Amino acid sequence: MQTIAPENYLPQSAVINKVIVENSQIKTFELAFTHPPTQQAFQYRPGQFMMVSVPHCGEAPISFSSSPTRPGAISLSVRKAGQLTSTMHALQAGDRVGLRGPYGTPFDMASFRGRDLLFVAGGIGLAPLRSVITSCLDNRADYGRIFILYGSRLPSDIAFHADISEWRQDAAITCLLTVDRAEPGWDGPVGLVTALLDQVEIDPARCTGIVCGPPMMIGATLNELSRRGLADDHLITTMERHMKCGVGICRHCHLDGKLVCTDGPVFTRAQLKKMEVAELR
Protein backbone atom coordinates (compact mmCIF):
# COMPACT_ATOMS: atom_id res chain seq x y z
CA MET A 1 0.00 0.00 0.00
CA GLN A 2 1.35 3.41 -1.01
CA THR A 3 2.23 5.68 1.91
CA ILE A 4 1.39 9.33 1.40
CA ALA A 5 2.77 12.02 3.69
CA PRO A 6 0.09 14.01 5.56
CA GLU A 7 1.06 17.25 3.83
CA ASN A 8 -0.02 15.71 0.52
CA TYR A 9 -3.56 15.44 1.83
CA LEU A 10 -3.89 18.59 3.91
CA PRO A 11 -3.88 22.06 2.36
CA GLN A 12 -1.78 24.70 4.04
CA SER A 13 -3.24 28.17 4.56
CA ALA A 14 -1.92 30.88 2.24
CA VAL A 15 -2.77 34.57 2.09
CA ILE A 16 -3.24 36.56 -1.09
CA ASN A 17 -0.80 39.47 -1.06
CA LYS A 18 -1.70 40.89 -4.46
CA VAL A 19 -4.11 40.31 -7.33
CA ILE A 20 -3.06 41.30 -10.86
CA VAL A 21 -5.74 41.47 -13.56
CA GLU A 22 -4.13 40.07 -16.71
CA ASN A 23 -7.28 40.23 -18.88
CA SER A 24 -11.02 39.65 -18.49
CA GLN A 25 -10.53 35.93 -17.84
CA ILE A 26 -7.10 35.63 -16.16
CA LYS A 27 -5.87 36.92 -12.82
CA THR A 28 -2.50 36.35 -11.21
CA PHE A 29 -2.47 35.79 -7.46
CA GLU A 30 0.69 36.48 -5.47
CA LEU A 31 0.55 34.26 -2.38
CA ALA A 32 2.51 33.40 0.73
CA PHE A 33 1.94 30.69 3.31
CA THR A 34 0.60 32.08 6.58
CA HIS A 35 2.92 29.80 8.58
CA PRO A 36 6.37 31.49 8.30
CA PRO A 37 8.45 28.27 8.59
CA THR A 38 6.37 26.71 5.79
CA GLN A 39 6.94 29.75 3.59
CA GLN A 40 10.66 29.78 4.35
CA ALA A 41 11.13 26.09 3.58
CA PHE A 42 8.93 26.00 0.47
CA GLN A 43 10.65 25.10 -2.81
CA TYR A 44 9.39 24.40 -6.32
CA ARG A 45 10.62 24.14 -9.90
CA PRO A 46 9.25 25.53 -13.20
CA GLY A 47 6.58 23.26 -14.64
CA GLN A 48 5.25 22.02 -11.31
CA PHE A 49 1.81 22.87 -9.96
CA MET A 50 -0.10 23.37 -6.74
CA MET A 51 -3.48 21.99 -5.74
CA VAL A 52 -5.49 25.09 -4.80
CA SER A 53 -8.66 24.95 -2.71
CA VAL A 54 -11.37 27.27 -1.45
CA PRO A 55 -13.82 26.02 1.20
CA HIS A 56 -17.01 24.55 -0.29
CA CYS A 57 -15.72 25.09 -3.84
CA GLY A 58 -13.37 22.16 -4.32
CA GLU A 59 -9.77 21.96 -5.48
CA ALA A 60 -7.92 22.40 -8.77
CA PRO A 61 -4.35 22.17 -10.11
CA ILE A 62 -2.73 25.50 -10.99
CA SER A 63 0.75 25.82 -12.48
CA PHE A 64 3.32 28.23 -11.13
CA SER A 65 3.70 31.39 -13.18
CA SER A 66 6.47 32.72 -10.92
CA SER A 67 10.07 31.53 -10.85
CA PRO A 68 12.02 30.03 -7.94
CA THR A 69 14.89 32.30 -8.97
CA ARG A 70 12.92 35.13 -7.36
CA PRO A 71 12.25 34.05 -3.76
CA GLY A 72 9.31 35.31 -1.75
CA ALA A 73 5.68 35.20 -2.79
CA ILE A 74 4.65 32.61 -5.35
CA SER A 75 2.41 33.45 -8.29
CA LEU A 76 -0.43 31.35 -9.66
CA SER A 77 -2.26 32.61 -12.75
CA VAL A 78 -5.87 31.47 -12.87
CA ARG A 79 -8.27 31.44 -15.81
CA LYS A 80 -11.93 31.71 -14.83
CA ALA A 81 -13.52 28.47 -16.02
CA GLY A 82 -15.59 26.85 -13.23
CA GLN A 83 -16.85 27.19 -9.68
CA LEU A 84 -13.47 27.21 -7.95
CA THR A 85 -11.75 29.53 -10.38
CA SER A 86 -14.75 31.88 -10.49
CA THR A 87 -14.70 32.04 -6.69
CA MET A 88 -10.97 32.78 -6.77
CA HIS A 89 -11.56 35.64 -9.19
CA ALA A 90 -13.80 37.26 -6.57
CA LEU A 91 -11.07 37.11 -3.90
CA GLN A 92 -8.98 40.11 -2.93
CA ALA A 93 -5.70 40.84 -1.17
CA GLY A 94 -5.93 39.59 2.41
CA ASP A 95 -8.18 36.64 1.58
CA ARG A 96 -6.93 33.10 2.07
CA VAL A 97 -6.85 29.88 0.06
CA GLY A 98 -5.56 26.38 0.69
CA LEU A 99 -2.40 25.14 -1.04
CA ARG A 100 -0.79 21.73 -1.19
CA GLY A 101 2.17 20.70 -3.27
CA PRO A 102 4.26 21.26 -5.27
CA TYR A 103 3.49 18.31 -7.51
CA GLY A 104 4.47 17.04 -10.92
CA THR A 105 7.58 16.53 -13.01
CA PRO A 106 9.22 19.92 -13.74
CA PHE A 107 11.01 21.13 -16.84
CA ASP A 108 14.54 19.77 -17.08
CA MET A 109 16.26 23.13 -16.91
CA ALA A 110 19.71 21.52 -17.03
CA SER A 111 18.96 20.16 -20.51
CA PHE A 112 18.29 23.71 -21.74
CA ARG A 113 21.75 25.01 -20.90
CA GLY A 114 23.81 26.15 -23.87
CA ARG A 115 20.84 25.87 -26.24
CA ASP A 116 18.62 28.37 -28.03
CA LEU A 117 15.13 28.34 -26.54
CA LEU A 118 11.94 28.78 -28.57
CA PHE A 119 8.85 29.35 -26.41
CA VAL A 120 5.49 29.04 -28.15
CA ALA A 121 2.40 29.81 -26.07
CA GLY A 122 -1.31 30.21 -26.60
CA GLY A 123 -3.66 31.92 -24.14
CA ILE A 124 -3.19 30.86 -20.51
CA GLY A 125 -0.36 28.61 -21.74
CA LEU A 126 2.00 31.53 -21.28
CA ALA A 127 1.59 31.21 -17.48
CA PRO A 128 3.72 28.07 -16.90
CA LEU A 129 6.15 29.19 -19.60
CA ARG A 130 6.54 32.51 -17.78
CA SER A 131 8.07 30.54 -14.91
CA VAL A 132 10.64 29.00 -17.25
CA ILE A 133 11.34 32.23 -19.13
CA THR A 134 11.95 34.18 -15.92
CA SER A 135 14.26 31.46 -14.63
CA CYS A 136 16.25 31.55 -17.88
CA LEU A 137 16.50 35.35 -17.90
CA ASP A 138 17.75 35.32 -14.31
CA ASN A 139 20.52 32.95 -15.45
CA ARG A 140 20.99 34.50 -18.89
CA ALA A 141 24.58 33.35 -19.45
CA ASP A 142 23.49 29.70 -19.31
CA TYR A 143 21.36 29.89 -22.46
CA GLY A 144 21.58 30.88 -26.10
CA ARG A 145 19.08 32.98 -28.03
CA ILE A 146 15.54 33.26 -26.66
CA PHE A 147 12.44 33.43 -28.87
CA ILE A 148 8.94 33.96 -27.47
CA LEU A 149 5.93 33.51 -29.75
CA TYR A 150 2.54 34.19 -28.17
CA GLY A 151 -0.93 33.85 -29.67
CA SER A 152 -4.24 35.06 -28.26
CA ARG A 153 -7.83 34.92 -29.45
CA LEU A 154 -8.22 38.71 -29.39
CA PRO A 155 -5.86 41.62 -28.64
CA SER A 156 -7.87 42.25 -25.45
CA ASP A 157 -7.14 38.65 -24.39
CA ILE A 158 -3.36 39.18 -24.33
CA ALA A 159 -2.09 38.52 -20.80
CA PHE A 160 1.12 39.39 -18.91
CA HIS A 161 1.46 42.81 -20.54
CA ALA A 162 4.20 43.94 -18.16
CA ASP A 163 6.33 40.89 -18.97
CA ILE A 164 5.74 41.17 -22.71
CA SER A 165 6.73 44.85 -22.66
CA GLU A 166 9.93 43.97 -20.81
CA TRP A 167 10.75 41.10 -23.17
CA ARG A 168 10.14 43.22 -26.27
CA GLN A 169 12.53 45.89 -25.00
CA ASP A 170 15.31 43.34 -24.47
CA ALA A 171 17.53 43.21 -27.56
CA ALA A 172 18.55 39.64 -26.69
CA ILE A 173 14.95 38.39 -26.91
CA THR A 174 12.74 38.01 -29.96
CA CYS A 175 9.13 38.35 -28.77
CA LEU A 176 6.34 38.18 -31.36
CA LEU A 177 2.56 38.33 -30.88
CA THR A 178 -0.40 37.31 -33.00
CA VAL A 179 -4.17 37.15 -32.56
CA ASP A 180 -6.92 35.08 -34.11
CA ARG A 181 -9.06 38.13 -34.77
CA ALA A 182 -8.16 41.82 -34.76
CA GLU A 183 -9.88 44.54 -32.77
CA PRO A 184 -9.82 48.31 -33.31
CA GLY A 185 -6.31 49.62 -32.74
CA TRP A 186 -4.54 46.32 -33.42
CA ASP A 187 -2.00 46.57 -36.23
CA GLY A 188 -0.05 43.38 -35.50
CA PRO A 189 -0.24 39.95 -37.14
CA VAL A 190 -3.53 38.07 -37.39
CA GLY A 191 -3.40 34.30 -37.64
CA LEU A 192 -2.22 31.14 -35.96
CA VAL A 193 0.79 31.30 -33.67
CA THR A 194 2.56 28.73 -35.87
CA ALA A 195 2.63 31.34 -38.66
CA LEU A 196 5.07 33.37 -36.53
CA LEU A 197 7.65 30.61 -37.02
CA ASP A 198 8.32 32.00 -40.49
CA GLN A 199 9.58 35.22 -38.86
CA VAL A 200 12.34 33.61 -36.78
CA GLU A 201 15.55 31.93 -37.87
CA ILE A 202 16.39 28.95 -35.70
CA ASP A 203 19.09 26.33 -35.88
CA PRO A 204 17.21 23.04 -35.33
CA ALA A 205 20.37 21.30 -34.11
CA ARG A 206 20.81 23.63 -31.15
CA CYS A 207 17.23 24.73 -30.45
CA THR A 208 14.79 23.44 -27.84
CA GLY A 209 11.09 24.13 -28.36
CA ILE A 210 8.87 24.60 -25.30
CA VAL A 211 5.15 24.71 -26.07
CA CYS A 212 2.04 25.30 -23.96
CA GLY A 213 -1.53 26.20 -24.84
CA PRO A 214 -4.80 24.66 -26.03
CA PRO A 215 -4.54 20.99 -27.09
CA MET A 216 -4.95 21.61 -30.83
CA MET A 217 -2.36 24.37 -30.72
CA ILE A 218 0.10 22.12 -28.86
CA GLY A 219 -0.23 19.33 -31.41
CA ALA A 220 0.03 21.62 -34.44
CA THR A 221 3.07 23.41 -33.03
CA LEU A 222 4.95 20.28 -31.97
CA ASN A 223 4.34 18.66 -35.33
CA GLU A 224 5.41 21.80 -37.22
CA LEU A 225 8.60 22.16 -35.19
CA SER A 226 9.36 18.49 -35.79
CA ARG A 227 8.86 19.06 -39.51
CA ARG A 228 11.36 21.92 -39.29
CA GLY A 229 13.99 19.60 -37.87
CA LEU A 230 13.82 19.93 -34.08
CA ALA A 231 14.52 16.62 -32.34
CA ASP A 232 11.66 14.99 -30.44
CA ASP A 233 13.74 14.94 -27.25
CA HIS A 234 14.06 18.71 -27.51
CA LEU A 235 10.36 19.38 -28.09
CA ILE A 236 8.67 19.80 -24.74
CA THR A 237 5.14 20.56 -23.64
CA THR A 238 2.75 20.30 -20.71
CA MET A 239 -0.30 18.06 -20.76
CA GLU A 240 -3.58 18.97 -19.08
CA ARG A 241 -5.99 16.31 -17.79
CA HIS A 242 -8.66 16.34 -15.09
CA MET A 243 -6.97 15.86 -11.71
CA LYS A 244 -8.47 15.03 -8.34
CA CYS A 245 -5.63 14.09 -5.98
CA GLY A 246 -2.41 15.34 -7.58
CA VAL A 247 -0.40 12.46 -6.09
CA GLY A 248 -1.16 9.50 -8.37
CA ILE A 249 -3.87 7.77 -6.33
CA CYS A 250 -7.18 8.55 -8.04
CA ARG A 251 -5.86 8.02 -11.60
CA HIS A 252 -8.32 10.57 -13.03
CA CYS A 253 -5.48 12.06 -15.08
CA HIS A 254 -4.64 8.75 -16.78
CA LEU A 255 -2.80 9.18 -20.08
CA ASP A 256 -2.22 5.87 -21.85
CA GLY A 257 -0.40 4.22 -18.97
CA LYS A 258 0.98 7.45 -17.52
CA LEU A 259 -0.41 9.84 -14.93
CA VAL A 260 -0.22 13.54 -15.76
CA CYS A 261 0.05 14.49 -12.08
CA THR A 262 3.14 12.37 -11.38
CA ASP A 263 4.69 11.42 -14.75
CA GLY A 264 3.92 14.92 -16.08
CA PRO A 265 2.63 17.47 -16.64
CA VAL A 266 5.87 18.04 -18.57
CA PHE A 267 6.49 15.60 -21.42
CA THR A 268 8.77 15.51 -24.46
CA ARG A 269 7.36 14.80 -27.90
CA ALA A 270 9.46 11.60 -27.85
CA GLN A 271 7.54 10.44 -24.77
CA LEU A 272 4.17 11.40 -26.21
CA LYS A 273 4.82 9.57 -29.48
CA LYS A 274 5.03 6.31 -27.51
CA MET A 275 1.50 6.89 -26.20
CA GLU A 276 -1.94 7.34 -27.70
CA VAL A 277 -2.17 11.09 -27.26
CA ALA A 278 -4.91 12.98 -29.06
CA GLU A 279 -2.85 16.17 -29.23
CA LEU A 280 -0.38 14.60 -31.70
CA ARG A 281 -2.92 13.22 -34.14
Side-chain angles (χ1 to χ4, degrees):
M1 182 176 181
Q2 186 178 12
T3 301
I4 303 297
E7 60 268 23
N8 283 329
Y9 286 123
L10 301 175
Q12 303 295 310
S13 175
V15 64
I16 299 172
N17 290 332
K18 186 177 181 180
V19 180
I20 302 169
V21 178
E22 304 290 359
N23 60 30
S24 64
Q25 297 297 311
I26 300 172
K27 289 185 177 181
T28 295
F29 297 85
E30 293 187 1
L31 302 133
F33 291 101
T34 55
H35 184 233
T38 300
Q39 177 64 30
Q40 185 175 5
F42 183 74
Q43 296 181 339
Y44 67 97
R45 295 167 64 188
Q48 291 187 300
F49 63 91
M50 297 293 284
M51 295 298 293
V52 184
S53 59
V54 176
H56 313 296
C57 294
E59 194 175 42
I62 306 293
S63 297
F64 292 99
S65 55
S66 55
S67 170
T69 56
R70 301 184 183 182
I74 61 174
S75 295
L76 303 175
S77 297
V78 179
R79 180 173 64 89
K80 184 165 61 175
Q83 181 183 13
L84 172 69
T85 53
S86 295
T87 300
M88 286 192 68
H89 270 238
L91 299 178
Q92 301 176 357
D95 291 331
R96 298 187 180 189
V97 298
L99 297 179
R100 60 184 179 92
Y103 301 127
T105 300
F107 287 97
D108 183 2
M109 301 298 294
S111 71
F112 297 169
R113 291 187 186 127
R115 297 183 62 82
D116 295 340
L117 302 178
L118 170 64
F119 296 93
V120 186
I124 188 65
L126 186 56
L129 297 193
R130 179 179 184 248
S131 180
V132 187
I133 293 168
T134 302
S135 181
C136 291
L137 294 180
D138 288 345
N139 296 278
R140 190 67 186 87
D142 291 343
Y143 309 98
R145 297 178 300 164
I146 293 179
F147 305 91
I148 302 170
L149 311 183
Y150 178 41
S152 294
R153 189 174 61 91
L154 299 168
S156 56
D157 290 332
I158 293 172
F160 307 106
H161 287 271
D163 297 279
I164 289 171
S165 177
E166 181 180 327
W167 298 337
R168 300 190 86 172
Q169 292 175 26
D170 190 330
I173 300 173
T174 298
C175 180
L176 304 176
L177 310 180
T178 188
V179 297
D180 293 339
R181 183 159 50 91
E183 292 175 317
W186 176 258
D187 59 359
V190 176
L192 299 177
V193 70
T194 48
L196 295 178
L197 292 171
D198 292 332
Q199 300 184 38
V200 297
E201 293 185 9
I202 57 175
D203 178 356
R206 60 167 297 160
C207 186
T208 294
I210 305 111
V211 181
C212 190
M216 288 185 63
M217 170 263 175
I218 288 175
T221 304
L222 289 178
N223 291 336
E224 176 61 20
L225 291 175
S226 176
R227 188 187 70 79
R228 290 174 183 245
L230 274 72
D232 288 341
D233 285 333
H234 290 292
L235 287 174
I236 303 159
T237 189
T238 61
M239 291 284 101
E240 183 175 320
R241 293 295 187 271
H242 186 59
M243 295 182 192
K244 286 287 189 180
C245 70
V247 293
I249 294 177
C250 73
R251 304 187 71 81
H252 272 271
C253 61
H254 187 272
L255 183 67
D256 193 31
K258 302 290 185 181
L259 297 175
V260 172
C261 68
T262 54
D263 298 307
V266 176
F267 293 93
T268 66
R269 187 173 188 269
Q271 291 173 312
L272 296 177
K273 283 175 66 177
K274 297 177 182 178
M275 302 182 280
E276 288 292 328
V277 178
E279 284 83 346
L280 293 187
R281 293 174 186 167

